[in-house]
């Protein structure tokens, strides 16, 4: 009986080994390309992946979010092929990439994005200057009255400090200064939009693609200048004050499936998808 | 056939078998010790590393600091900044505020429910109430957090005219829901464990059911209730998902219950994903983890000690 038990165990073990080998072989057989990074670009990445896989059924593309910082960390760890980022790579991250892979990394701008400022649809304010926006988020201006609105406290919404959107806003609007302590940080642009949609006197910022149920504030450089909403012309022409590139980062020059994917993304068809999702083409 | 015959086994096999079982029992203990060691290890640079100490010291985490010339000394948590600011006080205040609100909400409800179920409810009602309250403990905290974020926050804002939709009150009430079952279960057990002979004696002396419950059972079970409160407090401090979703996550040092808060646990959850490996910020997050670990460990330990003492006392009386 004991012998039979041993034989059974051996069978089970053998089966397990065959199974694991089988799975790993099948994973290697279907070429998998992984994209990881910016939550802002998650929707865009998924649309690209769907369209690309429709034309290339043998390639599997996995898209995950987490934030630009998470994407760079994964690129450095080697756990993703492509990092989607809504901010340029930091010097510290390039250093790490050099240490690990002896490579500077490859930067590919894949789309342009206007960072929108959201207001509740019922808020009478339509325009803000970049200066006012800065003072609001620094906590110097705390009442809508001070920018020509009702006598109500301004409720600040922002992103967690792991997001590229946070860094972009901090660098370009706040000029590197700290957000007011009262800023409520929420995980993801969708959460910010949702909060502003529910909060009559709220203000938030994020990618232009997500804004449903809220209105965009028109932004202007100075009090006299005309205000612009983030849209194709204003972002492309640079009239809209808050626009940025969205990037893909790779460890090395793209090859094989990855190269096919990059070519697809930069093609007219790929850039058409950018438009549909609500961002702006690079060309 | 031979299934039912106990054959004498060899001493060696018995020895090995026993040790293996002991090892599995010890695995949890070893696990806890290892977790503590590894979490604490990551925070050690704060105490020894010179480069880390230029950015953050225990002093700077606890006391008010002046960062810009024209400003007063303040507690500020701004780890991603030109001048990183790592004051733990706003987070500490936030954590405490959420936990206190949760306790103020959950303790009366949990204890009263326990008195009702153990002293007044009929057997049938008891069979319904007990599992239903214990079912509360099984609700995933992310679901409660979502509920607080979407429903409770709107309700509270409309009902009390609050400036901030997501605030300490909102998060604290949602936290309270997770703690009610902890307090209820332990209090109820303690009250049920009060010997029937005590109740009989009180009734024989002419006490009515109210007097029995409040002047006899409640004091006798008090250590158990205290243990429930302590364990519930530990849970409130460590709970993450609810506060991450419902508290607004703004690190403000104020005493108002209607301001937004940022708690220790939510800070770790929100920031650890991005932080540069080995940076001062990374060490600080692990130090916060160590603090949470030590705190919940102490609350659980003291809760357990109180319960063991109570059990001994009640059993001592019975004999």
């Amino acid at each position: 009986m004991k012998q039979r038990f041993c034989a059974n165990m051996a069978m089970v073990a053998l089966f397990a080994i065959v199974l694991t080998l089988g799975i790993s072989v099948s994973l290697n057989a279907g070429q998998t390309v992984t994209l990881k990074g910016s939550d802002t670009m998650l929707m865009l990445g998924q649309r690209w992946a769907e369209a690309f896989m429709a034309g290339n059924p043998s390639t599997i593309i996995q898209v995950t979010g987490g934030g630009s910082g998470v994407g760079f960390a994964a690129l450095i760890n080697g756990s993703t092929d492509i990092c989607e980022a809504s901010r340029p790579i930091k010097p510290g991250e390039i250093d790490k990439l050099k240490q690990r892979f002896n490579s500077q990394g490859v930067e590919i701008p894949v789309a342009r994005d206007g960072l929108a400022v959201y207001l509740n649809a019922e808020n009478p304010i339509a325009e803000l200057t970049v200066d006012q926006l800065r003072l609001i988020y620094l906590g110097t201006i705390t009442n809508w009255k001070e920018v020509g609105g009702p006598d109500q406290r301004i409720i600040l919404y922002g992103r967690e400090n792991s997001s590229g959107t946070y860094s972009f806003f901090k660098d370009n609007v706040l000029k590197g200064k700290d957000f007011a302590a009262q800023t409520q940080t929420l995980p993801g642009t969708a959460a910010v939009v949702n909060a502003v949609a529910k909060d009559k006197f709220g203000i938030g910022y994020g990618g232009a693609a997500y804004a449903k149920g809220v209105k965009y504030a028109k932004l202007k450089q100075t009090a006299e200048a005309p205000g612009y909403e983030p849209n194709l012309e204003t972002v492309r022409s640079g009239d809209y004050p808050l626009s940025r590139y969205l990037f893909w980062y790779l460890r090395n020059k793209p090859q094989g499936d990855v190269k096919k994917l990059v070519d697809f993304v930069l093609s007219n068809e790929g850039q058409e998808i950018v438009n549909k999702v609500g961002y702006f083409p690079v060309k | 056939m031979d299934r039912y015959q106990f054959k004498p086994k060899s001493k060696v096999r018995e020895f090995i078998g026993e040790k293996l079982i002991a090892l599995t029992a010890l695995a949890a203990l070893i696990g806890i010790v290892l977790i503590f060691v590894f979490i604490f290890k990551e925070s050690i640079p704060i105490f020894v590393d010179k480069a880390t100490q230029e950015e953050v010291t225990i002093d700077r985490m606890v006391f008010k600091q002046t960062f810009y010339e024209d400003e007063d000394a303040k507690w500020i948590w701004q780890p991603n900044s030109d001048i990183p600011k790592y004051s733990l006080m706003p987070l500490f205040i936030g954590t405490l505020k959420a936990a206190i609100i949760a306790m103020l909400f959950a303790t009366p409800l949990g204890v009263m429910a326990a008195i009702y179920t153990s002293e007044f409810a009929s057997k049938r009602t008891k069979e319904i109430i007990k599992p239903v309250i214990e079912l509360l403990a099984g609700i995933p905290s992310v679901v409660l957090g979502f509920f607080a974020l979407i429903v409770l926050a709107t309700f509270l804002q409309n009902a009390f005219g609050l400036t901030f939709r997501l605030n300490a009150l909102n998060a604290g009430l949602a936290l309270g829901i997770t703690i009610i079952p902890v307090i209820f279960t332990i209090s109820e057990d303690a009250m049920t464990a009060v010997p029937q002979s005590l109740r009989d004696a009180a009734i024989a002396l002419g006490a009515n059911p109210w007097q029995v419950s409040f002047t006899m059972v409640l004091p006798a079970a008090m250590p158990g209730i205290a243990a429930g409160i302590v364990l519930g407090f530990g849970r409130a401090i460590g709970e993450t998902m609810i506060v991450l979703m419902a508290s607004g996550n703004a690190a403000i040092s104020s005493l108002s219950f209607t301001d937004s808060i940022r708690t220790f646990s939510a800070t770790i959850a929100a920031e650890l994903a991005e932080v540069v490996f080995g940076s001062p910020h990374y060490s600080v997050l692990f130090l916060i983890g160590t603090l949470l670990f030590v705190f919940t460990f102490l609350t659980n330990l003291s809760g357990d000690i109180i319960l063991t003492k109570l059990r001994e006392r009640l059993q001592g009386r019975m004999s």
Side-chain angles (χ1 to χ4, degrees):
Chain A
M1 219 176 110
K2 201 174 123 196
Q3 270 170 356
R4 193 187 294 161
F5 176 74
C6 285
N8 279 342
M9 282 308 287
M11 285 294 284
V12 169
L14 200 69
F15 183 67
I17 291 168
V18 169
L19 201 69
T20 0
L21 280 178
I23 288 173
S24 42
V25 165
S26 67
L27 274 180
N28 288 336
Q31 292 123 320
T32 310
V33 178
T34 49
L35 269 70
K36 193 178 175 81
S38 168
D39 283 325
T40 313
M41 296 172 71
L42 189 56
M43 206 149 64
L44 188 59
Q46 269 162 358
R47 292 284 175 282
W48 274 332
E50 283 161 19
F52 184 78
M53 284 191 286
N56 301 271
S58 67
T59 313
I60 297 162
I61 303 176
Q62 288 175 347
V63 188
T64 40
S68 302
V70 175
F72 282 120
L75 193 73
I76 292 164
N77 291 338
S79 59
T80 187
D81 298 314
I82 299 170
C83 161
E84 295 192 294
S86 56
R87 62 162 168 85
I89 192 165
K90 289 179 186 166
E93 287 158 345
I94 295 182
D95 288 345
K96 288 218 175 99
L97 211 54
K98 255 191 211 156
Q99 273 175 25
R100 278 277 183 91
F101 296 100
N102 194 23
S103 147
Q104 296 264 17
V106 179
E107 178 187 277
I108 306 168
V110 289
R112 245 182 116 83
D113 177 25
L115 198 62
V117 173
Y118 315 122
L119 298 173
N120 187 281
E122 288 176 43
N123 195 321
I125 302 270
E127 294 190 338
L128 288 171
T129 67
V130 176
D131 257 354
Q132 282 173 332
L133 191 63
R134 194 180 86 240
L135 293 176
I136 286 173
Y137 269 97
L138 288 177
T140 317
I141 294 180
T142 56
N143 198 308
W144 284 112
K145 181 172 74 175
E146 293 170 68
V147 291
D151 183 9
Q152 288 286 347
R153 177 102 188 238
I154 300 175
I155 313 296
L156 304 169
Y157 291 102
R159 294 287 310 278
E160 278 300 345
N161 53 31
S162 60
S163 85
T165 313
Y166 171 97
S167 315
F168 179 81
F169 198 85
K170 190 174 156 81
D171 295 344
N172 290 276
V173 179
L174 304 186
K175 309 285 176 226
K177 285 203 167 188
D178 292 335
F179 281 89
Q182 283 77 16
T183 312
Q184 303 186 25
T185 58
L186 302 175
T189 303
V192 174
V193 171
N194 181 44
V196 176
K198 282 203 156 64
D199 205 325
K200 250 173 126 177
F201 304 104
I203 183 169
Y205 59 85
Y210 279 92
K212 292 236 163 73
V214 294
K215 68 172 184 184
Y216 298 132
K218 287 184 180 165
L219 289 187
K220 44 192 184 178
Q221 291 289 5
T222 60
E224 296 78 36
Y228 293 102
E229 259 192 38
N231 60 38
L232 183 59
E233 291 92 67
T234 57
V235 169
R236 243 190 190 169
S237 66
D239 283 334
Y240 186 71
L242 294 181
S243 66
R244 59 173 173 180
Y245 278 109
L246 301 177
F247 300 102
W248 273 11
Y249 281 92
L250 289 82
R251 280 184 292 271
N252 300 303
K253 282 247 161 67
Q255 282 170 345
D257 274 356
V258 176
K259 182 165 174 14
K260 263 198 231 163
L261 180 63
V262 170
D263 288 343
F264 169 77
V265 160
L266 296 176
S267 71
N268 286 339
E269 199 189 342
Q271 292 295 308
E272 186 54 35
I273 293 172
V274 172
N275 237 341
K276 268 190 204 144
V277 177
Y279 297 108
F280 312 102
V282 269
K283 282 175 247 169
Chain B
M1 267 293 274
D2 59 357
R3 248 164 51 190
Y4 302 106
Q5 286 176 355
F6 294 104
K7 280 189 274 180
K9 301 267 169 166
S10 78
K11 280 260 167 70
V12 180
R13 280 170 67 179
E14 211 163 86
F15 176 80
I16 293 173
E18 196 191 303
K19 289 299 170 234
L20 273 179
I21 291 177
L23 196 70
T24 51
L26 280 176
L29 187 69
I30 296 168
I32 289 179
V33 173
L34 284 183
I35 289 171
F36 178 78
V37 167
F38 280 104
I39 293 179
F40 183 65
K41 199 188 82 188
E42 300 295 341
S43 67
I44 284 178
I46 298 174
F47 304 100
V48 294
D49 184 51
K50 281 267 154 33
T52 306
Q53 281 181 333
E54 272 172 30
E55 258 191 42
V56 55
T57 56
I58 297 293
D59 250 26
R60 289 197 215 167
M61 283 189 268
V62 175
F63 298 108
K64 290 186 176 181
Q65 300 286 318
T66 316
F67 293 99
Y68 302 105
E69 280 180 12
D70 50 344
E71 282 182 8
D72 297 335
K74 274 182 199 158
W75 290 315
I76 307 175
W77 173 261
Q78 287 278 8
N80 278 23
S81 171
D82 300 342
I83 308 170
K85 306 167 188 72
Y86 294 106
S87 176
L88 296 187
M89 290 311 280
L91 309 182
F92 179 70
I93 292 170
T95 309
L96 218 56
K97 271 202 294 196
I100 287 172
I101 294 166
M103 296 317 289
L104 288 178
F105 171 62
T107 308
L109 277 176
V111 174
M112 290 299 162
I115 293 176
Y116 174 74
T117 5
S118 86
E119 300 305 310
F120 296 98
S122 68
K123 213 179 156 214
R124 259 196 82 191
T125 346
K126 189 172 170 173
E127 273 167 11
I128 297 171
I129 292 181
K130 242 190 117 165
V132 167
I133 294 187
E134 278 157 12
L135 214 69
L136 267 184
I139 301 178
S141 58
V142 67
V143 175
L144 276 175
F146 191 64
F147 167 77
L149 174 72
I150 302 291
V151 182
L152 188 62
T154 309
F155 169 74
L156 288 175
Q157 190 176 33
N158 293 339
F160 300 111
L162 305 178
T163 328
F164 298 106
R165 225 177 77 82
L166 301 176
N167 53 43
L169 184 66
N170 183 31
L173 290 184
L175 264 185
I177 297 174
T178 63
I179 294 163
I180 289 174
V182 177
I183 297 179
F184 170 80
T185 311
I186 297 171
S187 308
E188 210 267 344
D189 283 351
M191 287 177 200
T192 315
V194 172
Q196 189 59 33
S197 57
L198 284 181
R199 289 195 187 84
D200 292 344
I203 290 167
L205 288 171
N208 63 30
W210 278 101
Q211 289 167 325
V212 174
S213 312
F214 282 89
T215 58
M216 212 286 304
V217 178
L218 198 61
M222 199 45 101
I225 296 168
I229 293 173
V230 170
L231 290 175
F233 193 67
R235 173 85 202 269
I237 297 281
E239 176 57 54
T240 308
M241 210 55 216
I242 292 175
V243 283
L244 183 66
M245 294 173 85
S247 70
N249 294 322
I252 307 171
S253 317
S254 85
L255 295 177
S256 162
F257 280 180
T258 56
D259 275 342
S260 293
I261 53 168
R262 188 180 186 91
T263 67
F264 281 146
S265 51
T267 303
I268 297 180
E271 294 177 13
L272 197 59
E274 148 78 357
V275 73
V276 181
F277 182 83
S279 66
H281 186 188
Y282 178 87
S283 302
V284 171
L285 289 181
F286 273 92
L287 185 71
I288 295 176
T290 312
L291 285 177
L292 280 177
F293 185 101
V294 170
F295 189 82
T296 45
F297 181 78
L298 287 181
T299 52
N300 284 358
L301 187 69
S302 49
D304 260 6
I305 291 173
I306 298 171
L307 278 180
T308 318
K309 284 261 165 67
L310 174 73
R311 217 164 285 140
E312 277 165 10
R313 205 177 79 187
L314 287 177
Q315 277 162 359
R317 259 191 214 165
M318 271 211 288
S319 56

